[in-house]
Amino acid sequence: NSIWVSTDHDEIGKVAKQFGAQVHHRSPEVSQDSSTSLEAITEFLNHHHEVDIVGNIQATSPCLHPSDLIKVADLIQKEGFDSVFSVVRRHQFRWSEVKKGENKMTEPQNLNPAKRYRRQDWPGELYENGSFYFAKRHLIEKGYLQGGKMAYYEMRAEHSVDIDIDIDWPIAEQRVLSFGYFGKEPLKEVKLLVCSIDGCLTNGRIYVTEDHKEMISYDYRDIVGIDLLKKRGIQVRLISDRDCSKTLSAMQLVCVAKVNVTNKLQVLKDWQEDMGLSWKEVAYLGNEESDVECLKQAGMSGVPADACSAAQKAAGYICKSRGGCGAVREFAEHIFLLLEKVNSARKQ
């Protein structure tokens, strides 16, 4: 019914609002290094008596998919559970710890070394992964998030990432790239990428000489990215609000382009229909408010790191690279990861 970010940090609150969340300004008493999630949730409930069920999503678990949350909400709202928490199946053999100085041997905890079996033949064990905890108000008011009629929700291993230490960051980033959320419909192969020229293919800056000639700069990596897309059978088309036909001619890009466009979404729809594509087969890279509706409509959407906030909010992927500095190449790599996922699903 409502999405809240609990924080004592003004900048985090600002970003949360940009992406459509409401902000609960957490008090200093529950903002200490030693503060628990339960304390923050309890404080929130004290200010929001209309809330009956809380789904606590951990910020340190970025690979959580919306489809998982929908199923968990149903377990509480439709099947009558009081609390539901996330787990992941692990295939790890455990041994007892022997502390330094103790005169004893380690002992197996969950295996028989005399009849050791292959881990892939073993069903494994369920562990909490910290992605989320759902609970009804009456449990939280008693001081716990798990209790009453309990259920666990088993998440897929590739979606189960908990950022605790520095090394977890690159692992999480790769998981998001490889298994990111692509929507409810079955994945389809991307066949068309439409890219906004100014601010994506270029950095958006226009240099004007004394004799009124315009100059722009672009990153050669982006040109390579476009060539790689074409070699994979993906059409690349370019679009711009302004008349930049001379720029395109100078760049010698062999791409269909539409310039001086007043309605980008209509052009995108025309291209999609002419090619006989579903929206899931269309990718769009934009950076301005004029690109927002296209970003929302395309099956796969991205923006450079320096795109406006409205475009970032509408996009499914935000590049690390800025416009004109490798963003097109980076988004192309993101598309290739999707294609690998599609091909893997087909083989299975």
Side-chain angles (χ1 to χ4, degrees):
N1 299 105
S2 59
I3 300 173
W4 294 81
V5 171
S6 174
T7 181
D8 66 332
H9 196 285
D10 290 340
E11 186 63 23
I12 291 175
K14 179 181 177 182
V15 173
K17 288 179 180 178
Q18 287 177 350
F19 281 83
Q22 300 178 71
V23 176
H24 171 76
H25 296 283
R26 193 185 301 181
S27 70
E29 288 76 22
V30 297
S31 301
Q32 308 301 314
D33 289 342
S34 58
S35 298
T36 65
S37 297
L38 181 59
E39 290 173 335
I41 294 170
T42 301
E43 180 190 68
F44 172 83
L45 287 178
N46 289 336
H47 289 83
H48 296 276
H49 299 287
E50 76 281 5
V51 176
D52 296 318
I53 301 170
V54 172
N56 177 36
I57 304 169
Q58 304 281 66
T60 49
S61 299
C63 297
L64 178 61
H65 281 207
S67 58
D68 289 330
L69 297 178
I70 292 169
K71 293 174 184 176
V72 172
D74 285 344
L75 286 174
I76 286 190
Q77 293 175 310
K78 297 179 180 179
E79 299 188 31
F81 287 96
D82 296 311
S83 60
V84 184
F85 55 93
S86 58
V87 299
V88 64
R89 190 173 298 275
R90 290 179 179 167
H91 298 78
Q92 296 173 321
F93 296 136
R94 291 182 287 107
W95 293 78
S96 62
E97 182 180 358
V98 178
K99 295 182 180 179
K100 189 175 181 180
E102 289 183 341
N103 186 23
K104 64 179 183 179
M105 296 185 297
T106 184
E107 297 287 342
Q109 299 291 304
N110 61 351
L111 77 153
N112 181 356
K115 297 181 179 179
R116 187 183 179 95
Y117 37 72
R118 299 189 311 166
R119 286 192 292 179
Q120 58 265 44
D121 296 330
W122 175 46
E125 298 178 325
L126 298 177
Y127 289 80
E128 283 188 36
N129 66 358
S131 286
F132 59 78
Y133 297 87
F134 276 61
K136 291 182 178 178
R137 172 186 279 271
H138 70 86
L139 282 177
I140 298 171
E141 289 177 340
K142 291 178 181 178
Y144 44 85
L145 287 171
Q146 295 161 299
K149 184 181 177 182
M150 288 186 290
Y152 63 77
Y153 180 87
E154 185 176 348
M155 289 176 55
R156 292 167 60 181
E158 60 265 32
H159 299 161
S160 183
V161 176
D162 187 18
I163 299 178
D164 284 327
I165 56 177
D166 289 349
I167 192 63
D168 293 332
W169 276 104
I171 295 173
E173 288 177 346
Q174 288 305 311
R175 291 281 181 90
V176 170
L177 284 173
S178 298
F179 305 106
Y181 178 65
F182 297 114
K184 299 177 184 177
E185 297 178 22
L187 295 175
K188 290 190 177 180
E189 193 167 320
V190 173
K191 295 182 179 178
L192 170 66
L193 168 63
V194 177
C195 175
S196 182
I197 298 170
D198 298 306
C200 290
L201 185 57
T202 73
N203 61 10
R205 294 182 179 180
I206 300 173
Y207 303 90
V208 182
T209 64
E210 291 182 353
D211 55 353
H212 305 291
K213 291 182 178 180
E214 292 185 0
M215 294 188 299
I216 56 94
S217 65
Y218 62 90
D219 194 315
Y220 183 69
R221 292 174 296 179
D222 290 332
I223 307 303
V224 172
I226 290 175
D227 288 339
L228 290 173
L229 287 163
K230 289 180 178 179
K231 289 177 181 177
R232 294 287 291 267
I234 300 172
Q235 283 202 38
V236 179
R237 297 189 177 187
L238 306 173
I239 195 167
S240 176
D241 297 295
R242 69 186 190 92
D243 186 357
C244 54
S245 44
K246 290 183 178 179
T247 297
L248 293 174
S249 176
M251 295 173 73
Q252 297 182 334
L253 286 173
V254 185
C255 295
V256 173
K258 189 83 171 178
V259 300
N260 210 18
V261 174
T262 56
N263 188 337
K264 289 183 177 178
L265 181 59
Q266 187 57 57
V267 173
L268 186 63
K269 286 180 177 179
D270 290 342
W271 283 343
Q272 175 247 341
E273 292 174 0
D274 289 343
M275 294 178 66
L277 303 177
S278 70
W279 284 113
K280 281 293 175 183
E281 296 170 305
V282 178
Y284 191 91
L285 184 66
N287 73 304
E288 272 298 341
E289 290 192 11
S290 59
D291 297 306
V292 168
E293 294 306 315
C294 295
L295 291 166
K296 290 180 179 179
Q297 189 69 59
M300 191 174 188
S301 58
V303 294
D306 54 347
C308 72
S309 60
Q312 289 192 17
K313 182 179 176 181
Y317 178 76
I318 300 176
C319 299
K320 293 180 181 178
S321 306
R322 298 167 66 87
C325 300
V328 178
R329 174 62 185 272
E330 182 182 338
F331 192 55
E333 295 288 349
H334 186 56
I335 292 174
F336 296 151
L337 282 172
L338 171 62
L339 295 181
E340 289 176 12
K341 185 177 175 70
V342 171
N343 292 333
S344 176
R346 285 175 178 170
K347 291 177 182 178
Q348 292 175 1

